[in-house]
Amino acid sequence: MTRDVLLRVDDLVVGTRDDQGREVRLVDGVSFEIAEGEVLCVVGESGSGKSITMAAVLGLLPAGVEVLSGRVEYRGEDLLSAGERRLRELRGRRLAMVFQDPMTALNPVKRVGAQIARAVRLHGDRLTRAEADRRAAELLAAVGVPDAAERARAYPHQWSGGMRQRAVIATAIAHDPDLLVADEPTTALDVTIQAQIMQLLAEARGRTSAAMALITHDLGLVAQTADRIVIMYSGRVVETGTVWELFDSPRHPYTAGLLASLLTAESSTGRAYAIPGSPPQPSARPAGCPFAPRCELPAKSARCLTEVPLLRSVAPDHDSACHHADTVSRFAEEVAG
């Protein structure tokens, strides 16, 4: 059954100014869709533009960074032309964010329960302070916090990193949002706690039928979680497709390199592949394909150095921005060992 589009991002450009006042594009022409109830994973190295993209969607760009062009639609409503009042109505109620670092998401001088209770009341629930406090404790219990009513009276520094992330998730799901945006939600957590947090997000989605945009560089999480994947590199989308398509038959050398960097039991060499070099700075992208200086694809040609490849269909529900996409699958097998 085809699901309705919940969020549509079309040709989004986000930029800033360098010290000389020149425009620098941090995100350059990004497009994707998220359907109702779908999990879309946005994947790429640090600096690829994935977090800035979702910050632009939610109207949370840092000072000095702005949307230069494009369109962002939530259920057909253009968010980029919506006023701040309308965005505040949507954020936290219909569109919710789980931030990367719960210590910066939580106010260190306010009790955890009071912060959740304030979020409950802020978005239109007509509750007394006591009712909001009880609702906060219920949300904390729902995300697995033991003795929730008692623990709600603690301050963030008195909680572990995993418990703080549970509090952030409790705040995000308070109003049964349509879309959860989770920005590296398991960073700095140990493997056991990572699994618990991802299970918690899955359970929250199961209760509310929310879609989720998961921003991550962890392909292990992607394999377990995603319906579809967007691969970003140097501020651009270089490949999109279902999790099965991209893991089984990558059609961009960057995706192939990311997959080969995962050391698996099937690897014949016992060593993980490492993509050579580093991503370019946004102010110093090469003239052609941004990945060309690092690309080891045997079919790489002079065209790669001079012409930016456009995102094009290479299979049903599978797009690639590579001039030589048809040769990538064989390359992926070779580098994977």
Side-chain angles (χ1 to χ4, degrees):
M1 183 178 67
T2 302
R3 293 179 285 192
D4 292 338
V5 174
L6 180 68
L7 183 78
R8 177 179 285 111
V9 177
D10 185 28
D11 202 20
L12 180 67
V13 179
V14 179
T16 186
R17 298 280 176 180
D18 65 14
D19 293 339
Q20 285 73 47
R22 294 171 299 195
E23 178 184 292
V24 177
R25 293 189 172 191
L26 306 176
V27 171
D28 193 3
V30 165
S31 299
F32 61 84
E33 295 178 351
I34 303 176
E36 291 183 340
E38 180 180 48
V39 177
L40 179 78
C41 285
V42 185
V43 181
E45 294 169 284
S46 296
S48 62
K50 53 190 189 296
S51 293
I52 286 289
T53 296
M54 297 313 299
V57 167
L58 297 174
L60 295 173
L61 289 172
V65 180
E66 62 179 334
V67 174
L68 301 178
S69 61
R71 190 172 178 86
V72 176
E73 293 182 353
Y74 162 71
R75 297 192 182 280
E77 178 182 358
D78 182 13
L79 297 184
L80 298 183
S81 63
E84 182 58 31
R85 180 175 180 179
R86 175 57 177 159
L87 287 176
R88 284 198 302 268
E89 291 174 355
L90 293 172
R91 286 195 303 257
R93 178 171 284 279
R94 302 272 55 88
L95 310 171
M97 184 81 175
V98 178
F99 292 94
Q100 180 176 15
D101 183 0
M103 266 314 271
T104 59
L106 295 170
N107 188 328
V109 299
K110 298 287 187 180
R111 299 179 192 273
V112 173
Q115 295 184 58
I116 299 173
R118 183 176 184 276
V120 168
R121 300 181 72 195
L122 185 64
H123 292 286
D125 288 356
R126 296 182 179 277
L127 302 176
T128 65
R129 187 178 298 275
E131 289 170 336
D133 288 341
R134 285 194 293 271
R135 174 61 176 154
E138 291 171 0
L139 288 165
L140 288 172
V143 297
V145 175
D147 302 318
E150 177 66 26
R151 297 297 300 275
R153 290 192 282 273
Y155 291 92
H157 74 272
Q158 296 174 302
W159 287 33
S160 68
M163 294 297 280
R164 288 194 294 265
Q165 194 61 289
R166 289 173 185 269
V168 172
I169 293 171
T171 305
I173 66 173
H175 297 281
D176 297 338
D178 292 331
L179 175 66
L180 280 170
V181 177
D183 187 359
E184 301 275 10
T186 60
T187 295
L189 302 177
D190 66 47
V191 174
T192 301
I193 303 301
Q194 286 182 18
Q196 293 175 3
I197 293 301
M198 293 310 300
Q199 179 62 32
L200 182 58
L201 286 169
E203 292 171 357
R205 290 186 54 252
R207 288 196 298 270
T208 65
S209 299
M212 181 166 72
L214 174 63
I215 303 167
T216 184
H217 63 275
D218 187 337
L219 288 172
L221 287 181
V222 172
Q224 300 168 26
T225 308
D227 295 313
R228 288 190 306 115
I229 305 172
V230 168
I231 304 289
M232 290 190 65
Y233 183 79
S234 189
R236 294 171 178 154
V237 173
V238 296
E239 189 167 10
T240 68
T242 65
V243 64
W244 303 111
E245 280 279 344
L246 265 69
F247 273 74
D248 185 58
S249 182
R251 303 295 288 274
H252 193 283
Y254 179 59
T255 308
L258 291 177
L259 292 171
S261 69
L262 293 174
L263 186 60
T264 66
E266 290 76 23
S267 174
S268 61
T269 64
R271 295 189 304 272
Y273 174 78
I275 301 173
S278 302
Q281 292 297 316
S283 58
R285 291 191 182 101
C289 173
F291 188 63
R294 306 176 70 190
C295 182
E296 295 188 313
L297 192 67
K300 186 172 75 170
S301 64
R303 182 186 182 194
C304 302
L305 302 175
T306 59
E307 183 181 336
V308 177
L310 300 178
L311 197 66
R312 60 186 175 89
S313 176
V314 294
D317 299 319
H318 194 172
D319 297 343
S320 171
C322 177
H323 294 308
H324 306 288
D326 294 341
T327 72
V328 174
S329 292
R330 182 177 180 84
F331 168 71
E333 293 174 1
E334 293 173 352
V335 297

